[in-house]
Amino acid sequence: MPSLEAVHGAGGRAELSTPRLRPGAPERAGLDPTELGHLADEVHALTAGVRPWAAGAVVLAGRGPVVAVAEAAGWAVRYARYDPETGAGVELPPAERVPADVRTPFDLASLTKLFTSVAAVQQIERGTLGMDARVGAYLPEFTAAAEHGITVRQLLTHTSGLRPELPLYDRPDAAARLAMLRAEAPAAAPGTYLYSDLNMILLAFVLERITGRTLDVLIEDGITRPLGMTETGFGPRPRAAATEDQRRPWAKADRGMLRGEVHDENAWALGGVAGHAGLFSTAPDLAVLCRALLAGGAYGPARILGPDFTELLLTPPGLGFAVDQPWFMGELAGRGAAGHTGFTGTSLVLDPATDTFLVLLANTVHPRRRLPDSRPRAVMATHLSRAVRGA
């Protein structure tokens, strides 16, 4: 429940300040400590051994304003490079490794899409962006999207029909990459669900056109600064956990071991700021975003969205957010839980039905990418769900 402290919102009207996050015992949050103990143990298990699920990981979970678990394990930087002959990473000397801690920044990968979606819904709330407006109305030079009548809603719900990605990283310059995007027609009929990075890339161009501000400025001014998320932003982030020794043939570019530079090759090709990838953040910062959304768009004295528009963002089919997906939400799915995953090993789940949230940050691609495995994400979410039921 909101506190009794009244503050003045951006429009000059008095609003109630919502409680800020604070650490507390599981029991204080109405959570079972045994299940949360299993959740914390899982982080250490995932980072142990010769070939762990992730070199390093951080998990943060809670209910209401209480952070009941904040656990870090493993290494933010463990390997110097990847050795294709042995199929393993070449470990740094112990003195040169960097341990992961709760405030280690990680490359969010596709969790960036959530910020782009919030920024878009902010413009919808203000009336400067139409949910069912055609992309061509804002970006007529994107001729293929205009010709096929792709809408803003379709970008937000991955129903534009655009294919998952384009090899922008193989184009020689910014002009060639932009020309490729402008000419890209849907691979499936608009209205067909097909998860695509291109949706959020185009949405970022729309937002920049209607506001006259770049995406990084929009996210900072509209989300991270009001919420006090000081550790969230686009790169470079020198303190961030390392990701991949990015080299062909297993990667799409030859960039070497990456730390603090965006892992996604297309985001890199677009200058590091893109609608689908590029942000770095910490678990405590992401918990603030979760808390704000669970509280109807407000955190402390700040409000980033109205309650109706926050609900619009999170309810099926979700705008940018995936809803009720057991493959990474485990037993939290089924009641309206919303969230997303990121290729680098990140995920975020918030459950309005139980007022719970779970943030997992990891560098599963350090020292080299592998086939995605979301079972650990689902296991952690299930522990949180059972902690609610077992309290």
Side-chain angles (χ1 to χ4, degrees), residues 12 52 125 221 233 238 308 376:
E125 182 177 27
D221 289 351
D308 291 345

Side-chain angles (χ1 to χ4, degrees), residues 39-281:
L39 194 160
D41 291 343
E42 190 73 18
V43 181
H44 292 275
L46 292 173
T47 57
V50 177
R51 297 192 182 186
W53 181 75
V58 177
V59 66
L60 193 149
R63 189 179 193 186
V66 178
V67 175
V69 174
E71 193 80 14
W75 304 96
V77 184
R78 177 174 176 176
Y79 303 99
R81 61 184 178 86
Y82 174 76
D83 184 353
E85 293 188 5
T86 63
V90 177
E91 291 194 301
L92 289 163
E96 295 180 26
R97 299 175 199 169
V98 180
D101 63 51
V102 170
R103 295 194 172 275
T104 297
F106 283 79
D107 183 330
L108 296 186
S110 284
L111 294 193
T112 302
K113 293 180 172 75
L114 303 184
F115 290 81
T116 305
S117 300
V118 171
V121 174
Q122 286 176 330
Q123 296 304 316
I124 292 169
E125 182 177 27
R126 291 167 188 162
T128 55
L129 180 65
M131 175 80 83
D132 292 305
R134 295 191 174 194
V135 171
Y138 304 108
L139 302 172
E141 69 274 23
F142 281 66
T143 53
E147 179 182 343
H148 288 83
I150 292 173
T151 68
V152 171
R153 186 187 298 272
Q154 289 170 344
L155 296 182
L156 282 163
T157 57
H158 294 285
T159 55
S160 68
L162 292 168
R163 58 173 153 160
E165 68 168 5
L166 287 172
L168 303 176
Y169 47 82
D170 277 341
R171 292 302 181 266
D173 53 42
R177 294 164 194 149
L178 190 56
M180 192 178 200
L181 283 169
R182 289 173 172 173
E184 180 64 15
T192 304
Y193 179 83
L194 182 61
Y195 180 83
S196 172
D197 288 347
L198 303 184
N199 290 315
M200 294 299 164
I201 292 175
L202 261 64
L203 187 58
F205 278 107
V206 170
L207 293 173
E208 292 179 350
R209 177 63 55 84
I210 65 174
T211 65
R213 293 182 289 168
T214 56
L215 182 65
D216 54 338
V217 173
L218 283 172
I219 288 174
E220 181 179 4
D221 289 351
I223 305 172
T224 61
R225 184 185 296 143
L227 296 180
M229 299 171 64
T230 58
E231 297 299 322
T232 303
F234 290 93
R237 297 275 160 165
R239 289 185 51 252
T243 54
E244 186 175 31
D245 183 6
Q246 199 169 89
R247 288 182 279 151
R248 292 181 171 92
W250 58 83
K252 303 166 188 172
D254 293 297
R255 301 168 63 203
M257 184 61 75
L258 300 176
R259 185 184 184 194
E261 299 288 339
V262 62
H263 174 266
D264 183 271
E265 291 94 341
N266 272 341
W268 165 68
L270 292 169
V273 177
H276 71 296
L279 277 173
F280 292 78
S281 189

Side-chain angles (χ1 to χ4, degrees), residues 30-45:
L31 296 170
D32 176 44
T34 301
E35 285 293 345
L36 291 190
H38 294 326
L39 194 160
D41 291 343
E42 190 73 18
V43 181
H44 292 275

Side-chain angles (χ1 to χ4, degrees), residues 1-20:
M1 294 292 293
S3 72
L4 296 179
E5 175 192 3
V7 298
H8 290 284
R13 64 185 184 277
E15 296 184 354
L16 291 178
S17 177
T18 60
R20 297 178 183 272

